[in-house]
């Protein structure tokens, strides 16, 4: 509870009358703001927003997702803009398919909703490299996200391109389009101190650069308390109802850009979720304290297709959101929040136009009252004690407030909604076995080549950093060397220290061990007893990334891959870190793109064997199941790798990484209907370890 709220009696807060107008030279709806709310076409607005990221679903899903959000009482769809998706190579842009942001914004408009565009262009978002394209890494003299001219040039170029694209399609509200808000940067306050004197000038520059683009709508910065005027500073987090101190000017509205509806899943991080009651409590408290814009992050999380996840993040993203990964309504979460929206909207007149009073009702209890001169009145009775119910007296009547709850009284008399009381039935995901791929005759396999030092053309006398070597063109980097062993004793110990993420070690072509870090501890050491030939031995170490880091200061300095390699035998211990190394980026199957139908014949596929060799590609052809269903590929029998259907990657899998309860972090992997053909679908799997494809099935996902 904030300072000033514990004083008994009524405290009145008058509506701030200063209006900030964002200039626009084209006709459309004027978007401005004052200390109470955003103002659209002269009308104050109380808005509920939903984060739905266009590349984490398919264009065929967008309309349904947006429609379901609207049914849930949502007014605004919010999305990040994904720089490395749109400009994977410098100056080469992609706005097709899942990257068709214009189509997505127009879909929002077609449903009669507003849009909030978080350009960033650094976004974090559990997205590979925080949305930054890796080619930035090789720009001379660049330092990301600070007063660095090389970074600012490229950031401004991309931001301007996106703004101009939106303008050319008349998508800003000032042009008659749906976009009412834009965001520049993202949670910069969390790293600003690391840049010392280079931080504050960058904040000022970013704000000035954005405003100068003249979108005709306000700009915001999340988690940036010193956001320069007229940029609005906003709150991110689970508890902004309690923690947000308010905007840095009385003339700015209270905006909540990320109300986390659950926790994203990451390997090594124990799975957590968040109840509908807790979300509703924080939303109601935020509105009670003066909030008039709340965005749910995520409302639909979706799927991290391909290699788009950040380090150690699962392919499924925010599956426990109000709309699950497959786009189904999740109850009671969506239903409870829908009821909350309806009740708060019924109080919108006193909230937006009345005077706010606060009333202390106890040590951890507070009343927030909004009242108009006309007599309209709405009250929020808050109990922040999470251990017990409390009876309070308000307007000469008694009200029982449950633990961590807000009771909403649209007429200051009758409780219409309590955040802790859920009146919506639960639903459950139903998984029905569809098509089994359990016959060995159905499968073919190709064992990828394990390169030796002699096979490589890239050489160095030191251990190269993984990301800077692969340039994010592949997860895989081979470190190879030839080791001369002169001893009658064939036993030795191979010790490899890695900065992450995964390592598969081969000696003379045989897998001798694997190791990995996790989300909480990236570094690890692999120590394995090995058998060496007397004479020359081929050591091939496969370093694997599971997404690139997405956060932190000086992201361009982060390092992955092998840091030290030693071999200990009975005679001595040799540090081979400065040995002569040979490198190969990627696997042969990747280079030949054998996951594509037209490239599949580039290698000699063989009939399936039961040997379950590491680094093996498997393929199978199948006909689709019933149309208009949602499908999940059950990969519980596999261990780690990546999957393609008809040439489109549905993401990385890691079924062998278990939670503390002994369960995989993810077993079913979303297969969008649009990825499938009626007949002759090609499923290709790259298995790094020794999983068996005979346990795979394409299952039907529904809810009951």
């Amino acid at each position: 509870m904030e300072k000033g709220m514990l004083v008994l009696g009524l405290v009145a807060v008058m509506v701030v009358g200063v209006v900030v107008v964002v200039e626009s030279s084209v006709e459309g709806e004027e978007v401005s703001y004052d200390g109470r709310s955003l103002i659209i076409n002269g009308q104050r607005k109380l808005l509920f927003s939903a984060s739905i990221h266009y590349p984490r679903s398919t264009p065929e899903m967008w309309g349904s997702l947006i429609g379901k959000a609207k049914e849930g009482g949502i007014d605004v769809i919010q999305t990040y803009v994904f720089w490395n998706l749109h400009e994977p190579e410098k100056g080469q842009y992609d706005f097709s398919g899942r990257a068709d942001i214009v189509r997505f914004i127009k879909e929002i408009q077609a449903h009669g909703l507003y849009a909030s565009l978080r350009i960033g262009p650094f976004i974090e978002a559990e997205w590979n490299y925080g949305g930054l394209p890796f080619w930035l890494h090789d720009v001379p003299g660049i330092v990301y996200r600070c007063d660095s001219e090389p970074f600012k040039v490229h950031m401004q170029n991309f931001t301007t391109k996106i703004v101009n694209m939106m303008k050319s399609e008349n998508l800003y509200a000032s042009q008659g389009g749906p976009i009412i808000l834009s965001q520049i940067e993202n949670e910069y306050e969390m790293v600003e101190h690391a840049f010392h004197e280079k931080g504050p000038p960058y904040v000022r520059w970013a704000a000035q650069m954005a405003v100068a683009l003249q979108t005709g709508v306000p700009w915001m910065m999340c988690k940036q308390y010193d956001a320069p005027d007229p940029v609005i500073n906003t709150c991110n987090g689970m508890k902004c109802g309690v923690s947000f101190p308010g905007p840095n000017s009385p003339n700015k509205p209270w905006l909540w850009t990320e109300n986390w509806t659950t926790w994203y899943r990451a390997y090594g991080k124990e799975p957590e979720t968040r109840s509908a009651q807790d979300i509703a409590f924080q939303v109601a408290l935020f509105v009670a304290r003066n909030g008039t814009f709340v965005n749910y992050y995520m409302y639909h999380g979706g799927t991290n297709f391909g290699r788009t996840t950040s380090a150690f993040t699962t392919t499924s993203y925010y599956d426990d959101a109000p709309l699950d990964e497959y786009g189904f309504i999740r109850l009671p979460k969506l239903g409870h929040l829908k009821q909350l929206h309806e009740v708060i909207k019924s109080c919108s007149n006193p909230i937006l136009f009345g005077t706010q009073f606060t009333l202390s009702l106890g040590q951890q209890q507070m009343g927030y009252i909004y009242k108009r001169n006309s007599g309209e009145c709405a009250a929020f009775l808050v109990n922040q004690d999470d251990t017990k119910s409390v009876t309070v007296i308000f307007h000469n009547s008694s009200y029982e407030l449950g633990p961590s709850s807000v009771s909403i009284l649209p007429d200051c008399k009758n409780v219409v909604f309590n955040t802790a009381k859920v009146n919506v039935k639960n639903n459950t995901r139903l998984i029905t076995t569809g098509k089994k791929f359990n016959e060995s005759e159905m499968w073919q396999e190709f064992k990828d080549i394990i390169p030796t030092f002699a096979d490589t053309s890239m050489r160095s006398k030191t251990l190269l950093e993984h990301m800077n070597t692969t340039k994010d063109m592949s997860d895989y980097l081979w470190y190879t060397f030839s080791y001369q062993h002169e001893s009658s004793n064939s036993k030795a110990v191979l010790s490899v220290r890695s900065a992450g993420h995964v390592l598969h070690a081969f000696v003379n072509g045989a897998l001798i061990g694997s190791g990995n870090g996790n989300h909480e501890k990236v570094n690890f050491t692999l120590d394995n007893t090995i058998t060496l030939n007397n004479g020359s031995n081929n050591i091939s170490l496969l370093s694997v990334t599971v997404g690139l880091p997405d956060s932190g200061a000086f992201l361009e300095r982060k390092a992955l891959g092998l840091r030290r390699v030693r071999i200990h035998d009975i005679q001595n211990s040799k540090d081979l870190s400065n040995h002569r190394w040979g490198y190969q980026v990627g696997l042969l199957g990747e280079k030949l793109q054998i996951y594509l139908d037209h490239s599949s014949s580039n290698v000699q596929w063989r009939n399936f064997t039961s040997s379950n060799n590491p680094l093996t590609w498997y393929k199978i052809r199948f006909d689709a199941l019933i149309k208009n269903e949602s499908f999940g590929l059950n990969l519980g029998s596999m261990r780690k790798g990546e999957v393609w259907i008809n040439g489109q990657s549905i993401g990385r899998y890691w079924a062998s990484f278990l939670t503390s309860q002994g369960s995989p972090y993810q077993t079913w992997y979303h297969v969008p209907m649009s990825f499938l053909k009626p007949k002759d679908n090609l499923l290709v799997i790259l298995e790094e370890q020794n999983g068996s494809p005979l346990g795979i099935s394409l299952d039907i996902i529904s809810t009951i």
Side-chain angles (χ1 to χ4, degrees):
M1 199 172 292
E2 293 192 11
K3 185 178 179 182
M5 292 185 181
L6 296 177
V7 179
L8 290 173
L10 288 171
V11 178
V13 179
M14 299 301 294
V15 175
V16 175
V18 176
V19 177
V20 177
V21 178
V22 181
E23 293 184 2
S24 172
S25 59
V26 292
E27 292 185 359
E29 292 189 313
E30 179 184 272
V31 183
S32 57
Y33 62 80
D34 63 11
R36 183 55 58 88
S37 74
L38 294 174
I39 301 172
I40 302 175
N41 214 23
Q43 297 293 315
R44 284 195 177 125
K45 294 289 184 178
L46 199 166
L47 300 168
F48 293 103
S49 174
S51 282
I52 299 175
H53 293 162
Y54 52 98
R56 282 174 160 146
S57 56
T58 65
E60 293 78 9
M61 296 173 65
W62 291 344
S64 174
L65 296 172
I66 294 166
K68 288 174 181 177
K70 184 176 182 178
E71 291 175 10
I74 293 300
D75 309 290
V76 184
I77 302 298
Q78 179 168 284
T79 184
Y80 279 121
V81 179
F82 299 78
W83 188 358
N84 55 12
L85 176 72
H86 296 303
E87 194 181 5
E89 300 292 335
K90 183 180 177 182
Q92 298 179 18
Y93 296 96
D94 182 8
F95 294 98
S96 63
R98 293 195 308 275
D100 192 345
I101 184 173
V102 168
R103 178 177 171 182
F104 181 71
I105 300 297
K106 288 183 176 179
E107 190 71 52
I108 295 170
Q109 185 175 28
H111 281 79
L113 299 182
Y114 297 118
S116 173
L117 195 63
R118 305 177 75 187
I119 297 176
F122 170 81
I123 60 173
E124 191 169 337
E126 293 73 57
W127 187 265
N128 193 51
Y129 216 45
L132 300 179
F134 196 81
W135 55 261
L136 284 174
H137 184 275
D138 295 330
V139 174
I142 198 167
V143 181
Y144 302 163
R145 304 177 68 204
C146 73
D147 193 21
S148 160
E149 281 304 316
F151 181 73
K152 291 193 297 183
V153 165
H154 291 291
M155 175 177 168
Q156 183 168 0
N157 287 346
F158 181 74
T159 303
T160 302
K161 183 173 185 65
I162 294 299
V163 167
N164 287 342
M165 179 179 290
M166 298 300 110
K167 284 182 177 180
S168 70
E169 298 288 340
N170 295 319
L171 292 177
Y172 284 104
S174 56
Q175 303 171 291
I179 302 173
I180 59 169
L181 274 174
S182 293
Q183 179 180 302
I184 196 70
E185 249 297 333
N186 190 66
E187 297 185 342
Y188 188 68
E189 191 173 86
M190 299 178 68
V191 298
E192 184 175 355
H193 65 280
F195 295 103
H196 304 293
E197 72 280 359
K198 293 284 189 178
Y202 169 69
V203 173
R204 294 191 295 271
W205 168 85
Q208 292 166 2
M209 180 270 290
V211 172
L213 293 172
Q214 297 184 349
T215 61
V217 304
W219 286 86
M220 56 186 177
M221 285 182 167
C222 62
K223 280 193 178 178
Q224 190 65 41
Y225 189 73
D226 62 352
D229 293 343
V231 177
I232 306 166
N233 63 296
T234 71
C235 189
N236 281 8
M238 298 182 75
K239 299 184 181 298
C240 289
V242 174
S243 63
F244 189 47
N248 60 20
S249 166
N251 301 326
K252 296 179 182 180
W254 290 45
L255 309 184
W256 188 354
T257 34
E258 288 190 18
N259 180 9
W260 305 330
T261 58
T262 184
W263 293 96
Y264 69 90
R265 289 200 171 191
Y267 299 108
K269 176 181 175 183
E270 282 305 297
E272 297 179 71
T273 188
R274 190 182 181 196
S275 70
Q277 297 95 314
D278 184 53
I279 300 170
F281 170 72
Q282 289 293 333
V283 171
L285 182 53
F286 187 75
V287 173
R289 293 183 57 220
N290 213 33
T292 51
F293 180 98
V294 176
N295 176 73
Y296 297 103
Y297 189 99
M298 299 291 295
Y299 200 81
H300 169 260
T303 307
N304 290 311
F305 297 109
R307 300 172 50 249
T308 59
T309 69
S310 64
F312 291 108
T313 304
T314 60
T315 295
S316 176
Y317 189 62
Y318 274 81
D319 184 39
D320 197 40
L323 296 176
D324 72 12
E325 180 181 7
Y326 299 85
F328 290 112
I329 291 172
R330 186 174 290 282
L331 298 176
K333 192 168 283 185
L334 186 143
H336 190 55
L337 296 177
K338 178 181 179 179
Q339 292 176 356
L340 173 67
H341 302 156
E342 291 171 348
V343 172
I344 290 178
K345 286 292 184 72
S346 74
C347 309
S348 59
N349 279 339
I351 290 173
L352 292 172
F353 303 103
T355 301
Q356 183 202 58
F357 300 89
T358 59
L359 175 65
S360 177
L361 301 172
Q363 285 189 336
Q364 297 188 71
Q365 294 75 41
M366 180 68 68
Y368 296 86
I369 305 98
Y370 290 91
K371 192 170 184 179
R372 299 190 71 181
N373 292 336
S374 62
E376 283 184 282
C377 183
F380 296 76
L381 306 184
V382 180
N383 179 16
Q384 292 197 52
D385 191 327
D386 60 3
T387 63
K388 62 183 179 181
S389 296
V390 177
T391 300
V392 300
I393 303 299
F394 174 69
H395 283 188
N396 299 319
S397 296
S398 63
Y399 298 87
E400 184 175 351
L401 307 179
S404 296
S405 72
V406 178
S407 288
I408 303 177
L409 293 63
D411 59 358
C412 284
K413 294 179 183 177
N414 300 296
V415 176
V416 174
F417 185 88
N418 182 276
T419 59
K421 296 179 180 179
V422 177
N423 299 312
V424 179
K425 291 184 179 179
N426 289 20
N427 65 354
T428 305
R429 178 174 291 167
L430 178 65
I431 300 175
T432 306
T433 301
K435 184 180 289 289
K436 294 182 177 181
F437 302 123
N438 57 354
E439 298 178 16
S440 59
E441 298 81 13
M442 302 168 69
W443 290 94
Q444 289 184 296
E445 66 181 27
F446 167 71
K447 191 175 183 304
D448 212 291
I449 305 302
I450 300 167
T452 66
F453 177 82
D455 297 324
T456 62
S457 57
M458 185 189 307
R459 303 288 170 83
S460 175
K461 291 186 177 180
T462 187
L463 293 171
L464 299 181
E465 194 277 323
H466 185 125
M467 293 184 289
N468 193 39
T469 308
T470 64
K471 308 298 183 185
D472 195 33
M473 300 304 293
S474 171
D475 287 351
Y476 303 100
L477 178 62
W478 285 103
Y479 294 72
T480 69
F481 68 97
S482 179
Y483 182 71
Q484 197 69 21
H485 181 65
E486 305 293 348
S487 172
S488 58
N489 189 330
S490 62
K491 297 299 181 184
V493 173
L494 175 67
S495 178
V496 183
R497 187 172 69 195
S498 173
H501 296 144
V502 176
L503 171 67
H504 303 303
F506 296 82
V507 175
N508 296 321
L511 178 67
I512 59 92
S514 298
N516 61 268
N518 58 55
H519 184 268
E520 307 304 310
K521 186 180 178 183
V522 176
N523 299 345
F524 65 93
T525 299
L526 174 70
D527 290 305
N528 266 68
T529 300
I530 59 175
T531 300
L532 295 172
N533 299 328
N534 190 18
S536 181
N537 293 267
N538 291 312
I539 312 295
S540 305
L541 307 175
L542 182 59
S543 177
V544 188
T545 54
V546 188
L548 301 191
D550 70 335
S551 59
F554 303 108
L555 194 58
E556 71 280 355
R557 300 180 187 175
K558 300 237 172 160
L560 297 175
L562 307 191
R563 299 275 69 101
R564 189 188 69 193
V565 178
R566 288 181 176 175
I567 290 182
H568 313 271
D569 60 26
I570 196 169
Q571 293 179 330
N572 55 34
S573 175
K574 293 183 180 179
D575 188 337
L576 302 164
S577 304
N578 295 317
H579 196 70
R580 193 171 178 222
W581 290 85
Y583 294 90
Q584 177 182 300
V585 174
L587 306 178
L588 178 62
E590 279 186 300
K591 180 180 179 181
L592 299 178
Q593 297 183 312
I594 63 175
Y595 47 82
L596 298 177
D597 207 346
H598 67 269
S599 305
S600 180
S601 59
N602 286 340
V603 298
Q604 183 65 49
W605 294 86
R606 301 183 182 278
N607 292 333
F608 173 81
T609 64
S610 58
S611 57
N612 296 334
N613 290 314
L615 292 184
T616 301
W617 298 77
Y618 299 100
K619 76 171 183 176
I620 191 171
R621 292 189 180 274
F622 66 96
D623 294 338
L625 300 169
I626 310 167
K627 288 185 177 181
N628 301 321
E629 294 284 359
S630 294
F631 299 107
L633 193 67
N634 183 340
L635 295 176
S637 65
M638 306 303 286
R639 293 184 64 79
K640 184 182 181 302
E642 190 173 350
V643 188
W644 293 261
I645 290 184
N646 295 324
Q648 298 196 70
S649 173
I650 65 171
R652 302 181 182 95
Y653 67 88
W654 200 351
S656 62
F657 201 122
L658 306 181
T659 69
S660 62
Q661 304 301 310
S663 302
Y665 279 81
Q666 185 177 350
T667 300
W668 281 269
Y669 290 76
H670 182 206
V671 180
M673 188 66 199
S674 59
F675 282 21
L676 297 172
K677 303 182 296 185
K679 293 184 177 296
D680 197 33
N681 294 279
L682 176 64
L683 167 63
V684 177
I685 301 175
L686 166 61
E687 169 60 36
E688 294 176 19
Q689 297 176 300
N690 58 355
S692 170
L694 299 184
I696 295 175
S697 61
L698 183 63
D699 298 337
I700 299 170
I701 312 295
S702 59
T703 57
I704 53 172

